[in-house]
């Protein structure tokens, strides 16, 4: 990391987890080359997965993984917000409710009894929601999982007191940059790249498969236009509904579009 | 004179996911030990219903970011078994390579960042690096090399995108794989060196008899195929798993706990179990290490898990090198198939132990129902039983010491609490 001016004192970092798979936190531990260096520039005050030393807040930077799925989560995220100067959500769970937001379309009681013989012990909400639905968020890092270089950019920026720079454009731009032949055009695959935010490096098309939207909607994504194109070229509506209802099913733009497709509504 | 003592570890640290421990002691008697998993349920089995089988691997990966390959691959194998899909030999080799990469990445993280710090009373791998910079840096580089292999084969290390039913979306070229060889050879040496370092740790004595369960294959160290073997009972084929192993929802615990159906007893999974039941099929350098540094059989000291893990890392690097050296791309990246109404199951060896999936599929290729049993829920009852045995030696110590010693024991199992397909929330306590 290249810091022009080292901060006067180390910033205090807290990493917090709600409903999630731990993959986004792991991305921080996967910065093998940078890990010890980053660790030298910040004070890791709270990071249960990495350290058994737990120090109380306040924190300069809070990285929050996971979505809100229990009543006590709501209390806890409020408390973390009060303790934190800058709060950054990491990953699709924290920014759009994650894969567990699929429950938002289901019957919660029935889901519980489908999995557990004794539903009475379960404490969970009927919805899985993003952190921003409950407290204010300073920066959202997309992806399921997040990209570790983007994470390093965010940390570096916050240590240096500047705004992080991450792209807002769609995956198609990354495909072009990578020189990948477009799967939508050449093979009529229902690729979500045009409406998905860049950041992954357009991995899926490079591996011969359509983008499945794990970074969530790009800014100004025009989902209805894309669905119309895919419906016209023979993709069944249910397939598009499923494509939009994955780890970013709860992101507003994807949610509206999947509902619209499910209703079979013709309006744009 | 009796006093009642309640020890609560509100947040288990350096484990994946979140959990807590509640211990109740009355005088010299341990009244209860509860490993409380407060990871909220995420209902994977419920929302897999109605999804196309092709979508399953991307969804099941999200159960756990630490071993997504094991979840993806177990679901893929179960669905292939249901539909009778036969994969090519080349694809099978690449799948083993993928497992090698995940074992490396996950084991090395656990060894250096989560587990080894306990042997030196350090709070984290980062703190450990202050005392052993060479060893920890070597560990980080091995992990990076494992990640690199995962990225090449899977597209990315966490939630790989390249796995599909019947094979892969895209095959790696011989050159792409061969380019990994110098790094892998360096890493193999580094892993052997690390193994000797780890063998010299000061291990607490903690041998208690229990049943070890792992997959076993006639000619290979088990990853994605084999029978289910045990140190107490004869092997069974995977499709009889549910006859022999069941899950209980018990009032005092927060998670479904797996038991042997007939005896209602716990069993123990993971690297120690695999090594004990399969050491005959280790690669040459791993086998030599097994002879040189591994404590004598039977392997019952839970603290020796870290030795088993590093031997498996050596095995994984060696096997990865061998697979790449003999690789020639299969003619097709995947086998075509037609779906039909069917049922199928599979078990594979995730880094932290056996994982079992079962799927029922309808005639349009959609999931009707699924059952997913992660390794942690299978080990959970054994962890509680072990804590009961372990605790008496610390009862005279301060609460703080007791709590930290319990945590140290728990870390040896590498419990991955995120895999909350089955976990309940009973009691929430946070600091
Ligand atoms: S966003 Fe994806 S990778 Fe990150 S925690 Fe959630 S499920 Fe895991
Ligand atoms: S393959 Fe997908 S992401 Fe790439 S350019 Fe085409 S539509 Fe966009």
């Amino acid at each position: 990391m290249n810091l022009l001016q080292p901060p006067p004192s180390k910033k205090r970092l807290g990493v917090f987890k709600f409903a999630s798979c731990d993959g986004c936190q792991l991305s921080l531990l996967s910065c093998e080359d940078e890990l010890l260096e980053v660790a030298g520039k910040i004070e890791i005050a709270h990071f249960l997965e990495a350290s058994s030393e737990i120090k109380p807040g306040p924190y300069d930077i809070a990285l929050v993984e996971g979505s809100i799925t229990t009543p006590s989560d709501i209390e806890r995220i409020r408390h973390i917000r009060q303790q934190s100067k800058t709060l950054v959500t990491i990953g699709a769970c924290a920014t759009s409710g994650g894969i567990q937001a699929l429950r938002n379309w289901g019957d919660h009681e029935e889901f519980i009894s489908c999995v557990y013989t004794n539903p009475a012990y379960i404490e969970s909400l009927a919805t899985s929601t993003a952190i921003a639905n409950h407290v204010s968020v300073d920066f959202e890092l997309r992806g399921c999982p997040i990209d570790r270089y983007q994470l390093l950019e965010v940390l570096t920026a916050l240590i240096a007191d500047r705004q992080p720079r991450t792209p807002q454009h769609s995956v198609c731009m990354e495909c072009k940059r990578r020189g990948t032949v477009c799967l939508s055009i050449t093979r009529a695959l229902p690729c979500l790249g045009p409406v998905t935010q860049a950041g992954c490096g357009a991995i899926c098309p490079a591996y011969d498969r359509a983008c499945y939207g794990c970074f969530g909607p790009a800014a100004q994504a025009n989902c209805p236009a894309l669905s119309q194109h895919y419906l016209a070229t023979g993709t069944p509506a249910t397939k598009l509904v499923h494509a939009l209802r994955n780890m970013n099913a709860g992101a507003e733009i994807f949610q509206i579009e999947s509902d619209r497709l499910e209703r079979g509504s013709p309006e744009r | 004179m009796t006093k009642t003592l309640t020890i609560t570890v509100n947040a288990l640290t350096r484990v994946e996911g979140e959990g807590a421990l509640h211990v109740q002691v009355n005088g010299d008697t341990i009244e209860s030990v509860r490993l409380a998993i407060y990871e909220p349920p995420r209902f994977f089995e419920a929302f897999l219903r109605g999804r196309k089988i092709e979508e399953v691997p991307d969804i099941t990966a999200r159960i756990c970011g630490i071993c997504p390959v094991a979840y993806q691959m177990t679901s893929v194998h179960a669905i292939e078994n249901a539909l009778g899909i036969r994969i090519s030999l080349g694809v099978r080799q690449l799948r083993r390579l993928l497992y090698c990469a995940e074992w490396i990445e996950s084991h090395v993280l656990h060894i250096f960042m989560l587990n080894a710090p306990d042997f030196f009373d350090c709070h984290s791998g980062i703190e450990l690096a202050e005392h052993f910079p060479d060893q920890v840096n070597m560990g980080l580089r091995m992990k990076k090399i494992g990640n690199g292999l995962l990225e090449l084969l899977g597209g990315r290390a966490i939630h790989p995108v390249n796995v599909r039913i019947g094979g892969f979306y895209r095959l790696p070229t011989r050159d792409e794989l061969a380019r990994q060889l110098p790094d892998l050879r360096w890493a193999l040496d580094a892993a052997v060196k690390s193994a000797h370092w780890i063998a010299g740790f000061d291990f607490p004595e903690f041998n208690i008899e229990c049943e070890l369960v792992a997959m076993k294959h006639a000619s290979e160290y088990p990853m994605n195929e084999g029978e289910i073997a045990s140190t107490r009972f004869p092997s069974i084929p995977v499709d009889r798993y549910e006859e022999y192993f069941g899950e209980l929802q018990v009032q005092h615990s927060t998670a479904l706990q797996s038991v042997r159906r007939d005896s209602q007893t716990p069993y123990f999974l993971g690297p120690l179990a695999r090594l004990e039941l399969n050491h005959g099929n280790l690669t040459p350098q791993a086998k030599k290490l097994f002879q040189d540094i591994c404590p004598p059989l039977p392997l019952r000291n839970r603290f020796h898990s870290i030795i088993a893990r590093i031997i498996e890392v050596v095995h994984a690097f060696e096997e990865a090198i061998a697979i790449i050296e003999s690789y020639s791309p299969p003619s097709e990246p995947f086998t075509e198939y037609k779906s039909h109404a069917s049922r199928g199951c599979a078990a594979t060896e995730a880094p932290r132990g056996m994982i079992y999936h079962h799927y029922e599929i309808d005639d349009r290729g959609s999931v009707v129902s699924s059952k997913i049993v992660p390794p942690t829920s299978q080990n959970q009852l054994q962890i509680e039983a072990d804590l009961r045995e372990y605790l008496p030696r610390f009862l005279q110590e301060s609460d703080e010491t007791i709590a930290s010693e319990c945590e140290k024991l728990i870390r040896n199992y590498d419990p991955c609490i995120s895999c909350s397909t089955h976990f309940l929330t009973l009691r929430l306590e946070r600091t």
Side-chain angles (χ1 to χ4, degrees):
Chain A
M1 283 199 308
N2 198 352
L3 292 174
L4 295 176
Q5 285 176 326
S9 66
K10 286 187 190 174
K11 297 217 154 109
R12 308 187 80 228
L13 173 75
V15 182
F16 302 92
K17 173 189 154 75
F18 291 83
S20 70
C21 82
D22 278 53
C24 288
Q25 294 185 56
L26 180 67
S27 302
L28 185 54
L29 292 176
S30 291
C31 300
E32 294 87 6
D33 290 336
E34 303 85 359
L35 185 65
L36 299 179
E37 201 179 336
V38 173
K41 295 208 164 92
I42 43 183
E43 180 192 346
I44 299 179
H46 187 288
F47 187 2
L48 295 183
E49 181 161 336
S51 174
S52 54
E53 196 168 27
I54 305 173
K55 295 182 203 151
Y59 310 99
D60 295 293
I61 306 167
L63 298 180
V64 180
E65 175 193 85
S67 65
I68 303 297
T69 64
T70 69
S72 44
D73 284 351
I74 302 174
E75 292 306 308
R76 191 159 62 97
I77 190 61
R78 287 193 187 134
H79 180 70
I80 292 169
R81 176 69 268 189
Q82 281 163 2
Q83 295 278 304
S84 312
K85 211 162 120 202
T86 307
L87 189 150
V88 177
T89 58
I90 53 169
C93 294
T95 50
S96 68
I99 191 95
Q100 50 278 5
L102 289 176
R103 77 176 74 181
N104 302 0
W105 283 266
D107 172 350
H108 185 236
E109 298 297 309
E110 194 272 331
F111 272 20
I112 292 177
S113 51
C114 157
V115 182
Y116 304 103
T117 46
N118 198 341
Y121 305 155
I122 303 275
E123 186 192 350
S124 95
L125 295 169
T127 53
S128 167
T129 43
I131 301 300
N133 291 29
H134 303 273
V135 296
S136 71
V137 168
D138 299 294
F139 192 81
E140 292 184 330
L141 195 56
R142 306 287 199 83
C144 178
I146 54 169
D147 175 80
R148 66 172 185 271
Y149 299 105
Q150 290 202 342
L151 177 64
L152 283 172
E153 157 61 17
V154 169
L155 284 176
T156 315
L158 294 178
I159 291 169
D161 283 319
R162 65 166 172 81
Q163 262 305 103
R165 284 185 285 262
T166 54
Q168 304 277 299
H169 54 254
S170 80
V171 175
C172 294
M173 298 278 282
E174 294 188 312
C175 245
K176 300 291 169 277
R177 209 169 292 144
R178 206 169 162 151
T180 307
V181 175
C182 178
L183 301 171
S184 171
I185 291 172
T186 59
R187 286 170 40 201
L189 293 179
C191 183
L192 287 190
V195 293
T196 300
Q197 182 173 295
C200 63
I203 307 168
C204 289
Y207 277 74
D208 250 354
R209 65 174 294 195
C211 163
Y212 61 93
C214 64
F215 271 61
Q220 295 158 349
N222 187 350
C223 287
L226 192 73
S227 326
Q228 200 174 29
H229 170 71
Y230 289 140
L231 289 172
T233 46
T235 304
T238 46
K239 191 162 181 176
L240 295 176
V241 172
H242 283 182
L244 292 163
R245 285 192 194 155
N246 267 331
M247 33 296 343
N248 286 288
E252 202 179 12
I253 298 179
F254 283 4
Q255 186 191 314
I256 290 171
E257 183 60 8
S258 72
D259 288 345
R260 193 186 71 90
L261 283 161
E262 196 170 51
R263 285 194 310 270
S265 129
E267 94 270 7
R268 297 203 35 169
Chain B
M1 197 178 68
T2 59
K3 77 171 176 140
T4 306
L5 176 71
T6 307
I7 301 155
T8 304
V9 181
N10 278 320
L12 293 172
T13 57
R14 282 191 281 126
V15 296
E16 286 125 7
E18 296 195 343
L21 178 68
H22 306 287
V23 178
Q24 273 194 313
V25 183
N26 189 350
D28 291 335
T29 335
I30 294 156
E31 306 229 301
S32 72
V33 172
R34 291 181 299 158
L35 184 61
I37 283 150
Y38 53 63
E39 183 75 30
R42 289 186 293 151
F43 305 115
F44 279 90
E45 288 150 322
F47 54 64
L48 277 168
R49 291 177 305 187
R51 302 296 289 225
K52 291 280 180 219
I53 50 173
E54 289 74 19
E55 301 176 71
V56 171
D58 293 327
I59 296 177
T60 52
R62 268 68 190 181
I63 294 171
C64 174
I66 325 291
C67 53
V69 169
Y71 282 93
Q72 288 190 320
M73 292 307 303
T74 315
S75 55
V76 164
H77 284 307
I79 291 167
E80 287 172 355
N81 289 342
L83 297 177
I85 300 168
R86 311 196 68 161
I87 55 160
S88 69
L89 221 66
V91 162
R92 189 178 188 281
Q93 285 299 86
L94 287 176
R95 285 182 172 177
R96 278 190 76 82
L97 189 59
L98 193 64
Y99 268 89
C100 287
E102 178 158 286
W103 278 21
I104 292 164
E105 185 268 326
S106 169
H107 276 357
V108 172
L109 172 81
H110 188 262
I111 292 168
F112 290 89
M113 289 284 127
L114 312 183
N115 197 184
D118 280 336
F119 292 88
F120 301 94
D121 285 320
C122 290
H123 291 294
S124 66
I126 293 159
E127 195 183 322
L128 184 71
E130 288 164 20
H131 305 283
F132 299 98
D134 296 346
Q135 284 86 345
V136 175
N137 275 311
M138 205 152 76
L140 288 173
R141 191 163 161 214
M142 282 191 268
K143 180 169 180 304
K144 189 180 171 182
I145 291 167
N147 275 2
L149 194 54
L150 263 176
E151 279 160 21
L152 170 60
L153 272 177
R156 64 182 165 201
I158 301 167
H159 307 327
V161 303
N162 196 19
V163 166
R164 55 164 292 163
I165 295 167
F168 292 93
Y169 286 92
R170 184 184 83 100
L171 293 171
T173 65
R174 206 185 298 214
D175 276 358
E176 281 173 327
L177 284 175
R179 250 176 267 140
Q180 311 284 317
L181 281 173
D183 274 347
L184 288 169
R185 291 192 182 114
W186 175 89
L188 173 58
D189 278 350
V192 171
K193 281 192 196 116
S194 306
H196 286 285
W197 177 58
I198 289 165
F201 288 3
D202 193 5
F203 294 99
E205 272 302 316
F206 184 55
N207 296 291
I208 52 170
E209 189 41 44
C210 68
E211 181 188 357
L212 270 52
V213 171
M215 298 182 74
K216 190 172 169 72
H217 186 274
S219 57
E220 47 190 34
Y221 203 78
M223 283 172 181
N224 39 7
E225 224 175 83
E227 296 212 306
I228 298 173
S230 154
T231 50
R232 280 198 190 152
F233 298 98
S235 298
I236 56 160
V238 171
D239 57 14
R240 300 188 68 185
Y241 173 87
E242 290 179 53
E243 276 171 52
Y244 288 90
F245 301 94
E247 289 167 294
L248 300 172
Q249 183 176 355
V250 280
Q251 177 109 40
H252 81 271
S253 170
T254 55
L256 298 192
Q257 302 188 328
S258 294
V259 286
R260 273 269 176 198
R261 275 194 197 279
D262 45 7
S263 54
Q264 299 289 299
T265 47
Y267 56 97
F268 179 41
L269 305 172
L272 272 184
R274 276 195 298 258
L275 191 63
E276 168 133 350
L277 291 160
N278 296 282
H279 54 85
N281 285 334
L282 287 167
T283 47
Q285 294 200 48
K287 196 178 275 175
K288 175 149 198 322
L289 274 177
F290 172 76
Q291 284 150 4
D292 293 350
I293 65 166
C294 195
L297 297 183
L299 298 170
R300 293 295 179 276
N301 186 347
R302 315 300 192 255
F303 289 91
H304 288 153
S305 297
I306 192 170
I307 297 184
R309 256 181 213 106
I310 191 71
I311 292 176
E312 289 194 339
V313 171
V314 170
H315 175 94
F317 276 123
E318 252 183 311
E319 178 160 348
I321 292 169
I323 291 172
I324 293 175
E325 282 175 341
S326 67
Y327 176 69
S328 67
S331 54
E332 297 295 338
F334 58 89
T335 309
E336 297 279 358
Y337 58 88
K338 276 211 183 64
S339 56
H340 51 87
S342 51
R343 290 167 165 275
C345 66
T348 79
E349 285 287 344
R352 42 199 62 66
M354 188 177 63
I355 175 172
Y356 172 83
H357 289 215
H358 182 133
Y359 293 85
E360 187 187 344
I361 303 166
D362 71 12
D363 52 5
R364 286 167 312 170
S366 298
V367 175
V368 177
S369 68
S370 65
K371 181 186 177 79
I372 298 171
V373 190
T376 300
S377 70
Q378 298 181 74
N379 261 345
Q380 203 205 349
L381 202 59
Q382 188 67 52
I383 300 177
E384 287 184 353
D386 289 357
L387 283 164
R388 274 174 181 274
E389 295 269 337
Y390 193 52
L391 269 159
R393 56 177 90 177
F394 298 103
L395 280 185
Q396 308 310 322
E397 311 276 338
S398 70
D399 289 12
E400 205 177 281
T401 307
I402 300 174
S404 107
E405 294 304 321
C406 289
E407 268 207 278
K408 284 184 189 172
L409 177 64
I410 293 171
R411 280 190 207 103
N412 291 288
Y413 306 82
D414 194 4
C416 187
I417 296 164
S418 295
C419 48
S420 61
T421 56
H422 268 127
F423 288 130
L424 316 181
T425 303
L426 181 62
R427 184 160 147 200
L428 277 125
E429 290 184 353
R430 305 212 188 233
T431 39

